[in-house]
Structure formats: structure tokens, C-alpha cells
Amino acid sequence: MSQFESFYQDLKSTEQQDAALTSEQQIDRLLKPGSTYLNLNPYEVLQIDLDTDIEAAKKKYKKLSLLVHPDKNPDDRERADKAFDIVKKAIKQMEDPIELNRCKDCYTEAKARLAIVMSEKKRKLRKDGKEDDIDEDNPDGYKKALWITVTKVFADREKKRKMLEDRANDEKRRATEAMAQAAEKRKLAEEFAKNYEESRDERSGSWRNFQAKKAKKEDKGKTMKGAAFKPPKIKPQK
């Protein structure tokens, strides 16, 4: 038995014990291990069918929100608060046309996936020379398989959304770091240019002083050479 099938049987078994479910049961249902991806589906959170209209969904939300409201569960307020947030998010998805269409698209994709799986199962049975009767041919079997597939579709889409979000955040972080580095380089260049300009007069004066000292030294050397020059002695003629 797969993890999804085990989760499904456990969930449906709990629901069958009490069709309305108590406050504690509803909180447990919404917060039980493995419910993270399940709660992405507002139809599953509100326990309504795909063809339920928005008015019926609001009535179910009102009933469910009263059960899990923190004020109604003072002894389990922290968990109730989390469950209440999950229920509020679900009704917001139902009220948002864009989000609602995305949810319905998940069901459409799930039905397409399941049709392929069923076709492959039947093909394999016929290849082995067996009857192509499968569990999904009966209503309960199909409902169970569709529930599992829908949950997987919601999970896959959420994983993809997180991946794209993380990638976008990484690109944004790299862009921010690049901008900061560029700004630091500009700042250093501006400071260098400013310091260079401010020290122009000082550099010019130093250069002039250096040239003047060099010229003076050269002139002094020339004077000394001229003063030390002695003309040759004139020999008397015989």
C-alpha cells in the first residue's frame, strides 16, 4: 500500500466515524502529518465537491470555521489558530476567480493523468492475456484514484511554484549584490577623482619646486666647471 493510499484510507475512515466531525477531529484532520499538500486544495479543506457553487462553499466555510475557531477551542488554541487560518485561506481561494480556475485546472490535469494510467494498466493486462478490469472502473475505485492524483497534482504545482520563487529570489539577490558592488566601485572612483583634483595644486607646486632645484643644481655645476678652467701657459718664442 502506497503512502497516499494509506493516508486516504485513514482520512476517510475518520470522516466516516462522524460525518460532521467534532472540533477536535476537524483540527486533527487539517493538521495531521502529511496534510501540508492536501490543504492546498480548497475543496478538500472545506470537504465539498468540485461542482459545489460559491454560496454553498461559504455556508460550509461558516460551519467549519465555527468548529475550529480558537475561541471555541480555548484548551487547544494554538492548533485551532493554525486550522482556522487554513480554512480562511481555502474560502479566499474559492472567492478569487483566478485561484479557483487554477484549482479546477488541477482537477482537469489529474483526470487526464489518471486516464493515461488507467489506459496503461488495461493495455498491460491485455498484453498478459488477462481481462482488462481494473479497480478504477468502479465509482469508489475511481474516486479514490482521482483523489490521490489530484493531491499529487497540487503538490507538484506547489513544488514548481516554490522552485521558481526560489530561483527568482536568487536572481534578485545576485542582482542586488551586483548593484551594491557597482555602487561601491563608483564611490571609490568618485573619491579617487575628488582626491586627485584636490591635490592638483600640491602636485603642481611640488613639481615646480623639483624643477627649480634641478635647474639650480645644474647651474651651480656649470659655474663650478667654468671657474676651475685654467688656460694653457704661453711659451716664449726663441
Side-chain angles (χ1 to χ4, degrees), residues 179-194:
M179 290 176 63
Q181 291 176 357
E184 183 64 21
K185 288 181 178 180
R186 286 197 302 270
K187 182 179 178 181
L188 292 174
E190 290 172 357
E191 289 180 354
F192 177 81
K194 181 180 178 182

Side-chain angles (χ1 to χ4, degrees), residues 6-223:
S6 177
F7 188 87
Y8 176 83
Q9 290 185 2
D10 182 43
L11 179 67
K12 296 307 173 184
S13 175
T14 301
E15 290 178 354
Q16 289 173 0
Q17 293 175 11
D18 185 346
L21 294 184
T22 64
S23 294
E24 184 179 358
Q25 286 174 322
Q26 286 288 7
I27 293 172
D28 288 342
R29 176 182 72 88
L30 295 168
L31 300 181
K32 70 185 303 179
S35 62
T36 301
Y37 289 118
L38 191 64
N39 292 335
L40 295 171
N41 183 354
Y43 291 99
E44 186 66 30
V45 171
L46 299 175
Q47 295 179 300
I48 55 179
D49 296 327
L50 183 62
D51 57 355
T52 303
D53 60 36
I54 186 61
E55 293 304 320
K58 287 181 178 180
K59 290 180 181 179
K60 189 62 184 288
Y61 160 74
K62 185 176 181 180
K63 181 179 180 180
L64 185 57
S65 63
L66 288 174
L67 285 173
V68 301
H69 198 284
D71 292 342
K72 298 290 184 179
N73 300 274
D75 296 334
D76 198 9
R77 179 174 290 274
E78 184 177 349
R79 295 175 72 244
D81 191 53
K82 293 179 181 178
F84 186 64
D85 286 341
I86 293 171
V87 175
K88 284 196 300 182
K89 180 181 177 181
I91 194 61
K92 286 182 179 179
Q93 286 178 288
M94 296 292 296
E95 292 174 334
D96 186 336
I98 296 177
E99 286 296 321
L100 185 60
N101 284 333
R102 287 176 181 170
C103 293
K104 290 183 177 181
D105 284 344
C106 287
Y107 277 85
T108 301
E109 181 180 339
K111 289 177 181 179
R113 285 193 193 184
L114 184 55
I116 295 173
V117 171
M118 291 173 63
S119 177
E120 183 61 24
K121 282 186 176 180
K122 289 177 176 290
R123 186 194 66 78
K124 187 175 181 180
L125 288 171
R126 289 193 297 268
K127 183 179 179 181
D128 295 339
K130 301 176 182 179
E131 294 291 332
D132 61 355
D133 294 330
I134 57 178
D135 293 338
E136 291 84 348
D137 286 335
N138 65 73
D140 289 339
Y142 182 83
K143 184 178 180 180
K144 172 184 174 182
L146 182 60
W147 181 90
I148 293 172
T149 309
V150 166
T151 304
K152 288 181 178 179
V153 171
F154 272 96
D156 290 344
R157 291 196 175 192
E158 178 63 11
K159 290 176 182 177
K160 184 177 180 180
R161 185 194 67 79
K162 285 186 176 181
M163 181 189 70
L164 294 175
E165 183 180 49
D166 290 343
R167 183 183 299 173
N169 288 336
D170 287 341
E171 291 177 355
K172 183 178 180 180
R173 176 181 54 78
R174 287 195 293 268
T176 301
E177 290 176 353
M179 290 176 63
Q181 291 176 357
E184 183 64 21
K185 288 181 178 180
R186 286 197 302 270
K187 182 179 178 181
L188 292 174
E190 290 172 357
E191 289 180 354
F192 177 81
K194 181 180 178 182
N195 293 335
Y196 185 86
E197 186 64 27
E198 290 176 350
S199 62
R200 180 188 296 275
D201 294 339
E202 182 180 349
R203 293 196 313 275
S204 299
S206 298
W207 176 252
R208 287 194 296 269
N209 291 337
F210 171 76
Q211 290 290 87
K213 288 181 179 179
K214 183 179 179 182
K216 185 176 181 181
K217 186 176 181 181
E218 289 178 352
D219 290 343
K220 184 177 180 181
K222 290 179 181 179
T223 303

